[in-house]
């Protein structure tokens, strides 16, 4: 078998092959081929590294000879000789895998130094102190990395020498001190390894290459790859880059620096970076001297600056991406030592994407792909001013992004009251319940001490686009004292606090924030994304305000409008309660009749805002008792009422008793007399009794309605079938709202959606009701009302019966929140609060399935439902309206399984548009569905 080629000169290698050359090597090779001034050198491939491991950690046969040969060529190019005392050549030996793994291994600089070549270095740098400093660093690094001598042994020598010399910093040591340190280091190495420090440069080089290879399987590197999920497909083995040393410290015509081809903070198209005159690369990083901004070079080294400008243009023209590069100037000659794609913040990515398309450096597709959906998220929320330097008082979970300040308020009623006074509010609770919803409306943000990222507080806050920190367990709420406390701080109700839901942080006081903005550049990119994507994007919106906002953010309709949100409004709740508690059909009828115009006008507003686009309205879903006060609350009120009643009885007798009082007293008690008369009146009308009876009734009803598992109980379509009046009213309100707007000339596209359906019979039953109402309304208005009728798919049985369900539905919408609960048989709140964190920690589950769609289980069910649904109805529209609809990975999955649209919370719309475009563009890279097919990839091992 012929050995593969293990060693490539920079000019020989194919820079496109990062897997073989590593990222750094590929960059050096590319730059060499482009004609940029890279010091000569060569790359030992990752393949050699893999052979090293196959070969009992010995360099593969032939490698040493190849290195020798390349070395000769490099010597010729450099006009210097490796190991020569007169004109020595030195190398840096640098690791580099296909994916950058910072800190995995140190670079060995000045390899080739020994007692002899040291003299040469002193001569070429005319700096004895520098030469000894370089030698001692080399011995130490080489000793540690290649020979395995512990770093602290070297440190001890350094510390002792510094003490003797009375020096605080390394920089205070002079040449003689450093010379002495070198001597001691060499002795140390001999003592520890049993052999003298290798003076032969070729031996040094061989040992260094082996050491770089060994570092690939070092604990640090292995842990790093595990932590960042770097698989062998992404990076397999490290390459070794052997590069001629150049010196930036050879006088004032020498320098070293790092630069970006554009400003990574703003994206502005200018050379950006820092440099130091007469310095080595490490000095910039180590912060020994403060570097100057690169613009200063225009004056100080104008020729080099012009060269750097050319390099900048060349690099971008070649890589079609902003580059982050390292350079050194040796006696006026510029050398480029490294280049890689520049890391930028989201704002800079947006700006450069837009600019680079105008400059024809990249096309629109590439420009859209450069912006990652999760990076876009940074731009869409208020953030704490990055210049603010204070510390948080507590840290919880980053449950809903954004920053907000306000008065800490401990219950929803008070939050509403304070909010109405015009104050900003942060609702602070142990946990929240559906009945706290008015508190959410009144608040800028929500802070809870319990609950996970999908607790009620987190989900509702995300839906409203309000910041939320949940599970902030350090915080203790004392409802009696009306305060919340933490180790050494107390927040009294009404005190100002700030929360940062992007990072889970809580601060005392009002911290300055910066506003999100959808810049013109971002809008341009989102429009390009829209051109690319084929997956529709809709919003989950329950009010006309959020519908308007959704439209501005590019929604192509509403995928989920939850009618119960309207039931919870302050003016509706009492009527809703009447409807639920009504003892007779007539009474229920009256309550429902009162609700009808309210719902109709709600729908009208939403339809109007969304004219020309579809609006999916879900019929009532939650169990009815969610609209009622809790049994405990009622019992407590009843007890108080009874106390008042008995107090009344005592008061009645007071009038008589007063006759015995001093007449002077009696006069001043005239007022009491009045009160007593009133009380007697109340008693005669038996008002108190009536109130108590009513309270009793309510309590009885609430107890009747209590369920063991309400989320699996009397809700959704079950509710519609047992209380047909409610669904009937809602259907009527939808169709009447549509009819009125159609008459006004609007294009209205209502879609009626039934929740929790598990059998085709349920759907049929509701359909009959719809037909009946449709006839009535069409007759009344004298027009045809176009609408669609469909079902949520959120029950496992519905997935299995999708073929039948499709017969009675124009569309499906996956409710993946419930479907996930049903698939795992996890109750979400319990899972989040009790065992999910541990499951994630132990990797029993990779992700929280309520955040990241479980494609292997839930996704599989969705695929089955789609397959059977479309067998019945090839043009069946299918969407997803669970929280997952706004999550980039789930959006990619939704695209690949052929969904028609995703529906997400309003603030996430830009993310969904971008993610849908990414999904379309990535489709080219992979075979459809393969990635998700458990049969191809094996059933997950959990
Ligand atoms: P990293 O992977 O940490 O970026 P490098 O291999 O780029 O490590 O080396 C670190 C620093 O060492 C570089 O930034 C540069 O300043 C210096 N360096 C590396 N190779 C050379 C060389 N051939 N000549 C001069 N300086 C070098
Ligand atoms: Mg570097
Ligand atoms: Mg549901």
């Amino acid at each position: 078998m012929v050995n593969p080629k293990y060693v490539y000169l920079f000019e020989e290698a194919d820079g496109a092959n990062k897997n073989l050359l590593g990222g750094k090597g590929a960059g050096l090779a590319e730059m060499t081929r482009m004609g940029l001034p890279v010091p000569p050198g060569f790359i030992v491939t990752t393949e050699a590294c893999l052979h090293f491991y196959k070969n009992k950690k010995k360099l593969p046969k032939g490698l040493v000879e190849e290195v020798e040969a390349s070395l000769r060529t490099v010597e010729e190019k450099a006009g210097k000789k490796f190991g020569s005392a007169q004109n020595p050549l030195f190398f840096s030996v640098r690791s580099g895998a296909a994916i950058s793994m910072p800190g995995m291994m140190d670079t060995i600089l000045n390899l080739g130094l020994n007692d002899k070549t040291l003299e040469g270095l002193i001569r070429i740098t005319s700096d004895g102190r520098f030469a000894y400093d370089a030698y001692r660093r080399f011995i130490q690094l080489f000793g540690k990395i290649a020979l395995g001598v512990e770093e602290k042994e070297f440190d001890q020598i350094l510390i002792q020498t510094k003490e003797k010399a009375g020096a605080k910093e390394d920089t205070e040591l002079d040449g003689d001190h450093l010379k002495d340190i070198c001597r001691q280091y060499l002795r140390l190495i001999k003592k520890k390894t049993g052999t003298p420090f290798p003076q032969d440069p070729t031996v040094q080089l061989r040992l260094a290459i082996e050491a770089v290879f060994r570092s690939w399987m070092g604990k640090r590197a292995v842990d790093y790859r595990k932590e960042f999920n770097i698989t062998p497909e992404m990076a397999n083995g490290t390459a070794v880059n052997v590069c001629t040393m150049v010196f930036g410290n050879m006088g004032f015509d020498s320098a070293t620096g790092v630069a970006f081809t554009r400003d990574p903070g703003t994206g502005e198209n200018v050379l950006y970076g820092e440099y130091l005159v007469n310095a080595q690369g490490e000095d910039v990083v180590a912060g020994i001297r403060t570097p100057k901004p690169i613009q200063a070079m225009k004056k100080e080294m104008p020729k080099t600056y012009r060269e750097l400008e050319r390099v900048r243009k060349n690099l971008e023209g070649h890589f079609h991406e902003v580059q982050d590069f390292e350079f050194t100037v040796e006696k006026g000659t510029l050398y480029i030592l490294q280049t890689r794609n520049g890391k930028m913040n989201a704002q800079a990515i947006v700006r450069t994407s837009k600019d680079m398309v105008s400059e024809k450096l990249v096309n629109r597709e590439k420009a859209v792909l450069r912006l990652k959906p999760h990076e876009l998220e940074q731009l869409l929320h208020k953030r704490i001013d990055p210049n603010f330097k204070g510390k948080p008082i507590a840290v919880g979970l980053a449950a809903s992004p954004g920053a907000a300040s306000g008065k800490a308020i401990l219950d929803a009623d008070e939050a509403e009251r304070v909010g109405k006074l015009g104050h900003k509010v942060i609702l602070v609770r142990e946990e929240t319940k559906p009945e706290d919803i008015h508190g959410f409306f009144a608040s800028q943000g929500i802070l809870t001490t319990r609950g996970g990222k999908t607790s009620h507080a987190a989900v509702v806050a995300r839906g409203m686009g309000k910041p939320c920190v949940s599970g902030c367990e350090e915080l203790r709420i004392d409802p009696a004292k009306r305060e919340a406390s933490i180790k050494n701080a107390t927040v009294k109700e009404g005190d100002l606090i700030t929360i940062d839901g992007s990072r889970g942080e809580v601060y005392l006081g009002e911290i300055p924030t910066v506003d999100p903005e959808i810049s013109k550049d971002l809008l341009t990119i989102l429009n390009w994304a829209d051109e690319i994507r084929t997956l529709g994007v809709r919003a989950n919106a329950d009010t006309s305000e959020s519908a308007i906002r959704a439209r501005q953010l590019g929604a192509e309709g509403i995928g989920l409008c939850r009618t119960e949100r309207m039931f919870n409004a302050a003016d509706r709740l009492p009527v809703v309660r009447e409807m639920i508690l009504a003892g007779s059909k007539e009474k229920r009828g009256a309550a429902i009749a009162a609700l009808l115009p309210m719902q109709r006008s709600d729908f009208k507003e939403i339809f109007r805002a969304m004219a020309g686009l579809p609006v999916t309205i879900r019929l009532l879903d939650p169990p009815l008792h969610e609209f009622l006060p809790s049994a405990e609350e009622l019992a407590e009120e009843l007890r108080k009422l009874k106390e008042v009643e008995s107090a009344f009885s005592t008061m009645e007798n007071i009038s008589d008793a007063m006759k015995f009082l001093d007449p002077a007293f009696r006069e001043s008690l005239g007022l009491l007399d009045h009160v007593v008369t009133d009380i007697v009146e109340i008693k005669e009308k038996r008002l108190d009794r009536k109130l108590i009876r009513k309270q009793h009734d309510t309590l009885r009803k609430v107890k009747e309605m209590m369920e063991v598992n309400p989320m699996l109980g009397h809700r959704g379509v079950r509710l519609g079938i047992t209380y047909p009046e409610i669904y009937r009213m809602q259907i009527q309100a939808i169709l009447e709202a549509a009819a009125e707007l159609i008459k006004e000339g609007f294009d209205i596209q209502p879609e009626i959606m039934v929740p929790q359906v598990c059998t085709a019979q349920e759907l049929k039953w509701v359909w009959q009701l719809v037909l009946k109402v449709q006839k009535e309304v069409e007759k009344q208005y004298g027009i045809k009302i176009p609408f669609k009728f469909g079902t949520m798919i959120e029950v496992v049985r519905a997935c299995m019966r999708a073929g039948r369900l499709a017969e009675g539905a124009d569309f499906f919408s996956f409710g993946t929140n419930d479907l996930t609960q049903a698939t795992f048989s996890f109750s979400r709140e319990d899972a989040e609060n009790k065992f999910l964190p541990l499951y994630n920690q132990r990797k029993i589950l990779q992700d929280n399935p309520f955040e990241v769609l479980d494609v292997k289980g839930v996704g599989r069910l969705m695929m089955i439902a789609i397959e059977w649904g479309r067998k019945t109805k090839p043009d069946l529209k299918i969407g997803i309206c669970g929280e997952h609809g706004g999550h980039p990975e789930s959006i990619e999955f939704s695209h690949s399984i052929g969904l028609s649209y995703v529906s997400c919370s309003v603030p996430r719309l830009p993310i969904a548009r971008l993610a849908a475009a990414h999904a379309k563009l990535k489709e080219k890279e992979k075979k459809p569905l393969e990635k998700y097919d458990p049969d191809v990839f094996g059933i997950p091992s959990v």
Side-chain angles (χ1 to χ4, degrees):
M1 198 188 83
V2 193
N3 278 333
K5 188 169 163 58
Y6 290 125
V7 180
Y8 290 86
L9 291 163
F10 289 164
E11 59 270 31
E12 284 178 328
D14 169 16
N17 198 346
K18 276 195 189 178
N19 273 327
L20 185 68
L21 306 174
K24 199 181 282 168
L28 289 165
E30 277 303 284
M31 291 195 296
T32 306
R33 290 180 147 206
M34 287 162 62
L36 290 181
V38 176
F42 54 90
I43 305 157
V44 186
T45 64
T46 57
E47 206 176 347
C49 178
L50 297 180
H51 275 88
F52 174 78
Y53 281 103
K54 274 197 210 130
N55 196 19
K56 300 196 186 112
K57 300 200 191 169
K58 281 207 209 66
L59 294 180
K61 232 175 81 201
L63 190 141
V64 173
E65 290 75 13
E66 278 191 65
V67 167
E68 283 283 317
S70 304
L71 192 66
R72 294 287 95 81
T73 318
V74 171
E75 281 179 338
E76 267 168 42
K77 287 192 144 193
K80 294 175 182 175
K81 249 184 128 43
F82 195 43
S84 149
Q86 282 73 43
N87 188 18
L89 176 66
F90 299 106
F91 283 124
S92 62
V93 177
R94 316 160 72 184
S95 70
I99 294 208
S100 133
M101 294 161 58
M104 184 188 94
M105 209 206 83
D106 307 289
T107 292
I108 301 181
L109 296 177
N110 302 319
L111 186 128
L113 265 176
N114 57 24
D115 296 345
K116 226 171 71 191
T117 55
L118 181 71
E119 300 304 323
L121 185 62
I122 294 175
R123 206 167 30 249
I124 57 177
T125 57
S126 334
D127 187 345
R129 188 192 176 280
F130 162 73
Y132 278 110
D133 196 32
Y135 196 22
R136 87 151 162 119
R137 285 179 205 241
F138 171 58
I139 301 169
Q140 172 170 357
L141 264 180
F142 190 87
K144 177 180 124 193
I145 295 164
L147 304 175
V149 179
E150 278 189 69
E151 192 162 19
K152 63 168 194 269
E153 307 266 3
F154 294 102
D155 286 345
Q156 232 164 19
I157 293 174
L158 182 64
I159 290 167
Q160 279 168 4
T161 313
K162 276 205 294 198
E163 265 170 17
K164 255 196 270 166
K168 272 206 209 90
E169 304 290 331
D170 294 7
T171 42
E172 292 168 37
L173 296 172
D174 63 24
D176 285 338
H177 294 131
L178 293 166
K179 191 173 173 179
D180 181 46
I181 290 173
C182 289
R183 216 173 23 83
Q184 294 190 59
Y185 277 6
L186 290 172
R187 241 191 334 220
L188 171 72
I189 285 183
K190 183 159 182 208
K191 198 174 114 203
K192 289 282 158 186
T193 63
T195 38
F197 181 80
Q199 292 281 332
D200 180 347
T202 44
V203 173
Q204 292 177 356
L205 183 55
R206 201 194 68 227
L207 293 177
I209 293 172
E210 286 177 0
V212 171
F213 283 165
R214 274 202 309 274
S215 73
W216 176 253
M217 292 307 279
K219 186 172 163 17
R220 244 194 311 167
V222 172
D223 288 350
Y224 185 93
R225 291 197 292 278
K226 217 186 257 165
E227 176 68 26
F228 292 96
N229 287 325
I230 300 177
T231 61
E233 289 86 62
M234 296 156 78
N236 206 2
T238 179
V240 185
N241 304 290
V242 180
C243 183
T244 302
M245 281 299 296
V246 288
F247 295 94
N249 58 332
M250 287 170 75
F252 287 89
D253 53 355
S254 300
T256 186
V258 290
F260 278 77
T261 53
R262 300 185 191 221
D263 186 331
T266 64
E268 197 187 341
N269 188 4
V270 290
L271 184 66
Y272 175 95
E274 293 175 333
Y275 75 107
L276 271 175
V277 171
N278 197 13
Q280 280 266 85
E282 302 165 311
D283 301 351
V284 179
V285 189
I288 299 170
R289 284 160 53 190
T290 310
K292 298 180 193 173
I294 204 119
Q295 301 305 331
M297 218 183 214
K298 263 188 214 165
K299 268 208 179 131
E300 202 172 20
M301 306 175 96
K303 180 177 143 280
T304 304
Y305 186 84
R306 279 194 305 276
E307 273 173 11
L308 281 175
E309 276 287 358
R310 269 199 301 279
V311 168
R312 170 169 102 95
K313 286 267 159 352
N314 274 337
L315 284 175
E316 285 199 348
H318 185 83
F319 290 101
H320 305 282
E321 183 51 275
V322 174
Q323 295 293 299
D324 160 2
F325 65 100
E326 298 176 354
F327 65 90
T328 287
V329 185
E330 181 182 296
K331 288 192 188 292
T333 308
L334 173 68
Y335 293 96
I336 312 295
L337 295 175
Q338 184 175 334
T339 191
R340 60 185 156 199
N341 291 345
K343 283 204 169 41
M344 287 165 279
N345 66 21
Q347 190 197 342
I349 293 172
V350 167
R351 165 132 188 215
T352 50
S353 267
K354 161 84 186 331
D355 288 351
M356 292 199 318
V357 169
S358 320
E359 297 159 29
K360 300 213 161 32
L361 271 178
V362 298
N363 60 18
R364 289 179 177 189
E365 294 189 352
K366 171 82 193 295
V368 166
L369 273 178
R370 288 178 82 240
L371 181 62
K372 304 278 175 285
H374 67 263
E375 286 164 341
L376 170 57
E377 225 176 316
Q378 290 177 19
L379 292 179
L380 299 177
H381 301 284
K382 253 196 171 148
R383 289 172 296 141
I384 288 193
D385 187 339
N387 296 321
F388 174 73
K389 294 281 179 281
K391 279 223 174 80
I393 52 160
V395 179
L397 298 173
S400 175
S405 309
K407 289 174 184 289
I409 301 292
L410 303 184
D411 71 64
D413 292 338
E414 181 67 3
E416 190 171 44
R417 192 186 68 78
V418 175
K420 278 198 177 132
L421 295 175
H423 299 294
K424 289 187 177 169
V425 168
I426 304 288
L427 180 62
V428 183
R429 305 275 297 153
E430 271 185 356
E431 58 187 353
T432 61
K433 296 224 171 72
E435 63 248 33
D436 292 326
I437 195 79
H438 55 297
F440 280 70
F441 288 128
S443 302
Q444 257 55 47
I446 289 86
L447 168 61
T448 67
T449 60
R450 267 189 286 160
K453 282 190 182 182
T454 52
S455 59
H456 176 266
V459 174
V460 175
R462 279 201 294 276
M464 293 183 178
K466 293 190 177 184
C468 173
V469 173
S470 68
C472 188
E473 287 176 354
E474 309 165 73
L475 202 65
R476 293 254 165 275
I477 296 180
D478 186 337
K481 284 201 197 148
R482 306 290 303 176
E483 64 182 34
S485 60
I486 194 159
K487 278 165 289 168
N488 41 23
T490 304
V491 178
K492 291 220 166 308
E493 183 162 48
D495 285 355
L496 280 173
I497 59 169
T498 300
I499 60 169
D500 180 347
S502 311
R503 289 190 287 191
E505 294 169 346
V506 183
Y507 295 85
L508 272 186
E510 189 168 1
I511 307 299
T513 55
V514 289
D515 274 333
E517 58 165 327
I518 296 204
S519 63
K520 253 176 75 189
D521 289 348
L522 178 54
L523 266 183
T524 307
I525 301 215
L526 289 175
N527 288 337
W528 293 340
D530 292 343
E531 284 166 17
I532 293 165
R533 69 184 164 87
T534 48
L535 183 68
V537 172
R538 297 196 192 180
N540 295 350
D542 314 314
T543 61
S544 57
E545 295 88 62
S546 55
I548 290 166
R549 181 83 187 124
R551 225 183 156 132
Q552 288 165 350
L553 290 178
E556 297 159 317
I558 290 180
L560 176 63
C561 173
R562 306 170 181 89
T563 46
E564 61 269 20
R565 294 278 164 100
M566 305 169 183
F567 278 16
N568 266 318
D571 55 333
R572 315 279 165 87
L573 202 53
V575 191
V576 173
R577 286 186 175 166
E578 258 173 65
M579 169 182 86
I580 298 170
L581 297 170
S584 66
K585 243 190 143 141
E586 295 74 57
K587 277 196 178 154
R588 169 160 307 127
I592 286 178
L595 277 174
L596 177 70
M598 298 181 192
Q599 288 248 285
R600 187 173 49 218
S601 75
D602 289 337
F603 294 146
K604 246 180 115 167
E605 288 315 304
I606 291 174
F607 286 153
R608 201 198 303 272
M610 278 283 153
L613 298 173
V615 176
T616 310
I617 293 173
R618 178 176 72 184
L619 300 177
L620 196 64
D621 182 36
L624 290 183
H625 66 74
E626 279 195 8
F627 300 103
L628 300 177
S630 72
E632 293 87 55
E633 261 174 59
L634 286 167
E636 175 66 15
E637 275 172 28
L638 193 59
R639 197 180 53 75
K640 283 194 187 136
L641 273 177
K642 283 187 174 159
E643 269 173 20
V644 171
E645 190 204 16
S646 76
F648 279 9
S649 306
T650 336
M651 296 277 266
E652 262 182 308
N653 303 324
I654 267 188
S655 277
D656 288 340
M658 283 198 310
K659 290 184 200 132
F660 302 106
L661 286 176
D662 184 327
F665 249 136
R666 223 183 298 156
E667 230 155 85
S668 66
L669 284 174
L671 197 70
L672 188 61
D673 231 6
H674 278 297
V675 173
V676 171
T677 329
D678 286 348
I679 287 174
V680 173
E681 201 177 315
I682 289 174
K683 287 229 64 138
E684 272 164 9
K685 288 194 189 154
R686 305 183 62 76
L687 282 181
D688 52 342
R689 296 257 109 207
K690 275 188 199 154
L691 210 64
I692 288 172
R693 200 168 333 115
K694 194 165 168 218
Q695 194 79 1
H696 259 303
D697 283 349
T698 313
L699 183 57
R700 190 174 39 79
K701 189 90 185 173
V702 166
K703 281 188 175 159
E704 254 172 47
M705 295 180 78
M706 250 189 319
E707 292 175 288
V708 180
N709 284 316
M711 294 320 272
L712 303 175
H714 197 179
R715 62 175 290 208
V717 67
R718 275 100 74 184
L719 202 68
I721 290 174
T722 44
Y723 296 97
E725 315 84 87
I726 300 179
Y727 269 26
R728 201 198 143 81
M729 177 274 289
Q730 291 198 300
I731 296 162
Q732 187 179 345
I734 294 169
L735 295 178
E736 287 183 358
E740 288 180 11
L741 288 170
I742 291 169
K743 288 203 138 179
E744 289 177 34
F746 289 98
D747 169 16
I748 301 302
Q749 305 176 19
E751 303 184 336
I752 298 172
M753 180 160 78
V754 190
Q756 292 288 330
V757 170
C758 60
T759 159
Q761 297 309 316
E762 287 169 327
L763 204 56
K764 253 191 209 145
W765 193 94
V766 182
W767 176 237
Q768 293 306 326
L769 187 62
V770 170
L771 278 183
K772 226 171 26 198
V773 179
Q774 182 198 8
K775 256 199 211 115
E776 290 166 16
V777 177
E778 288 189 343
K779 195 164 151 215
Q780 183 195 340
Y781 286 85
I783 50 166
K784 286 255 159 258
I785 306 164
F787 70 95
K788 290 200 161 68
F789 179 74
T791 178
M792 301 265 303
I793 303 282
E794 53 186 338
V795 171
V796 176
R797 194 177 190 282
C799 295
M800 308 323 277
R801 300 297 293 159
R804 282 302 308 282
L805 288 175
E807 288 170 8
D810 303 315
F811 66 89
F812 285 173
S813 181
F814 286 106
T816 45
N817 294 358
D818 275 311
L819 189 56
T820 301
Q821 294 206 90
T823 307
F824 281 85
S825 283
F826 285 176
S827 120
R828 178 183 190 163
E829 301 272 304
D830 293 326
E832 296 260 320
N833 289 335
K834 304 249 154 58
F835 57 84
L836 251 186
L838 189 75
Y839 261 49
N840 291 147
Q841 203 184 319
R842 300 235 166 115
K843 301 274 178 210
I844 291 173
L845 279 176
Q846 202 67 38
D847 299 298
N848 175 349
F850 297 105
E851 270 175 28
V852 180
L853 189 73
D854 160 51
V855 294
K856 289 175 177 164
V858 179
R860 190 81 178 142
L861 280 169
M862 293 169 72
M863 285 161 72
I864 292 171
I866 294 168
E867 187 187 335
W868 288 95
R870 292 219 168 115
K871 254 186 206 159
T872 303
K873 227 174 234 176
D875 60 344
L876 188 70
K877 258 207 301 182
I878 308 179
I880 172 176
C881 62
E883 248 197 275
H884 303 97
H887 189 281
E889 272 117 88
S890 313
I891 291 171
E892 197 183 322
F893 176 70
S894 299
H895 172 85
S896 70
I897 58 173
L899 288 192
S900 323
Y901 66 86
V902 295
S903 189
C904 64
S905 66
V906 175
R908 295 195 71 83
L909 279 163
I911 296 168
R913 289 160 70 191
L914 183 66
H918 278 228
K920 177 72 190 171
L921 292 171
K922 284 191 203 154
E923 182 182 73
K924 294 179 190 159
E925 291 165 19
K926 60 180 167 238
K927 291 186 207 133
L929 295 189
E930 189 177 274
K931 188 177 161 202
Y932 305 108
D933 190 341
D935 295 329
V936 174
F937 279 83
I939 299 295
S941 51
V942 294

